[in-house]
Amino acid sequence: TLGFGMTTPATVAGKVFLIVYGLFGCAGTILFFNLFLERIISLLAFIMKACHERQLRRSGLLPPSFRRGPAMSEVGSLMGWKPSVYHVLLILGIFAITLSCCASAMYTAVEGWNYVDSLYYCFVTFSTIGFGDLVSSQNAAYQNQGLYRFGNFIFILMGVCCIYSLFNVISIVIKQVLNWVLKKLECRCCPKCHKSSARLGRRNAITPGARLRRHNISMDADGQYDSDTEGRRLSGEMISMRELTASNKVSLAILQKQLSETANGYPRNVCINTRQNGFSAGVGALAIMNNRLAETSDSR
């Protein structure tokens, strides 16, 4: 997906081959980037969790004889712990800057560009923008040409993977900031807005267990049902289509959660802030990030 443009297909057969091969090539490349993202986030999470565990030992919150394993469930300090997205952003940013500086030093020495142009080339290449105004390995001959092309390949591959991971972390931070801004802009003084948002929330979103909680509250408060609808539903009489749809959605949500926990082999520990700020879902790279990073609270 760089698309420098210095080499392009000229024949019809070459263009058709490029279209067909590009479908599988780009899909495989995205899969490779996602796998790299998953591994690098897992590695960072492991290292940061070890540092967090050492910090807890020094502060006396963990016993010195604590070891990873079955005893993990007995320690409340590390249950469900995940690294902060800001810490991962900082580490990936430092790694990307270091990699770009090293690559720029190589391009400056070999290609004859100044250092700023080399940094510009690294960003345009690693981010897959690929303007094509600066392209490496275009001279007729280089000193140690094979070694230089191998180093160029490694730098571009690692740089694209690193910047891809960094972009995904930045996208989660941007989404969190936007959610925070929307909460701040929410109208709190107009009761009509609250009523309309409450109606929309009840109509478009069904929370598993919400109907049961409302029923328990009404039983504790009045000793009887809030409406004839609940009474008819529990007495075995016919229910409305809306209630049937709502109950089915709740059952499907619970079933989906149980299937996910069974597939993973353990109940997924999700903090309250993760459920509230809308970061618990995602597709592709966002799903990988959300499953391995702790979503920070609204107060940060």
Side-chain angles (χ1 to χ4, degrees):
T1 61
L2 291 180
F4 282 137
M6 76 285 189
T7 303
T8 58
T11 63
V12 176
K15 294 176 182 178
V16 173
F17 173 78
L18 175 64
I19 294 174
V20 176
Y21 183 81
L23 291 175
F24 299 97
C26 292
T29 302
I30 293 175
L31 175 61
F32 175 79
F33 288 160
N34 284 330
L35 292 176
F36 178 86
L37 172 64
E38 184 177 0
R39 297 303 184 270
I40 194 66
I41 294 301
S42 299
L43 177 62
L44 291 178
F46 177 80
I47 295 175
M48 295 174 66
K49 191 168 185 177
C51 296
H52 179 70
E53 181 182 334
R54 182 180 300 178
Q55 184 179 3
L56 290 179
R57 275 203 186 97
R58 289 179 178 178
S59 59
L61 298 178
L62 271 182
S65 60
F66 172 75
R67 293 290 183 272
R68 295 186 185 89
M72 177 69 73
S73 59
E74 300 177 1
V75 182
S77 302
L78 291 176
M79 284 186 61
W81 185 90
K82 291 183 180 181
S84 172
V85 65
Y86 298 113
H87 295 161
V88 176
L89 175 64
L90 178 62
I91 294 175
L92 285 176
I94 294 175
F95 184 73
I97 292 174
T98 304
L99 188 66
S100 299
C101 292
C102 295
S104 299
M106 183 187 71
Y107 293 133
T108 300
V110 178
E111 297 288 348
W113 303 333
N114 60 58
Y115 198 76
V116 176
D117 287 342
S118 299
L119 283 174
Y120 162 78
Y121 168 77
C122 288
F123 177 78
V124 170
T125 303
F126 296 167
S127 61
T128 68
I129 295 174
F131 284 135
D133 50 348
L134 292 175
V135 181
S136 61
S137 299
Q138 296 302 299
N139 295 337
Y142 292 94
Q143 187 178 3
N144 299 323
Q145 185 170 358
L147 182 62
Y148 169 63
R149 289 186 175 178
F150 177 75
N152 188 25
F153 168 76
I154 294 298
F155 272 124
I156 292 179
L157 180 64
M158 295 299 297
V160 172
C161 290
C162 184
I163 294 298
Y164 176 82
S165 304
L166 184 64
F167 283 170
N168 281 282
V169 180
I170 294 175
S171 66
I172 291 181
V173 175
I174 292 175
K175 184 178 179 183
Q176 187 174 9
V177 171
L178 289 178
N179 284 345
W180 179 80
V181 171
L182 289 176
K183 281 188 177 181
K184 292 298 181 180
L185 294 178
E186 192 179 35
C187 180
R188 300 181 182 275
C189 58
C190 181
K192 294 182 179 180
C193 295
H194 286 288
K195 290 182 180 179
S196 60
S197 62
R199 286 197 299 269
L200 288 175
R202 289 194 300 268
R203 185 173 183 179
N204 298 329
I206 297 177
T207 304
R211 182 180 297 274
L212 181 61
R213 286 193 298 268
R214 290 199 302 268
H215 172 65
N216 291 336
I217 292 174
S218 62
M219 288 291 292
D220 293 338
D222 303 328
Q224 58 185 1
Y225 304 115
D226 283 341
S227 62
D228 296 334
T229 305
E230 293 289 334
R232 287 197 304 270
R233 181 170 62 85
L234 295 178
S235 63
E237 298 180 8
M238 295 183 64
I239 63 175
S240 65
M241 184 59 68
R242 180 180 298 176
E243 290 179 340
L244 178 63
T245 306
S247 62
N248 287 337
K249 287 183 179 180
V250 172
S251 301
L252 287 175
I254 297 176
L255 178 62
Q256 184 181 7
K257 180 176 181 295
Q258 292 174 349
L259 288 175
S260 176
E261 293 176 354
T262 304
N264 291 326
Y266 58 91
R268 304 178 72 180
N269 296 324
V270 183
C271 61
I272 298 176
N273 295 326
T274 305
R275 292 193 297 265
Q276 288 179 350
N277 60 12
F279 284 90
S280 58
V283 177
L286 284 178
I288 296 172
M289 299 297 298
N290 291 328
N291 287 336
R292 282 165 174 77
L293 297 181
E295 316 303 349
T296 53
S297 61
D298 297 332
S299 59
R300 291 189 179 182

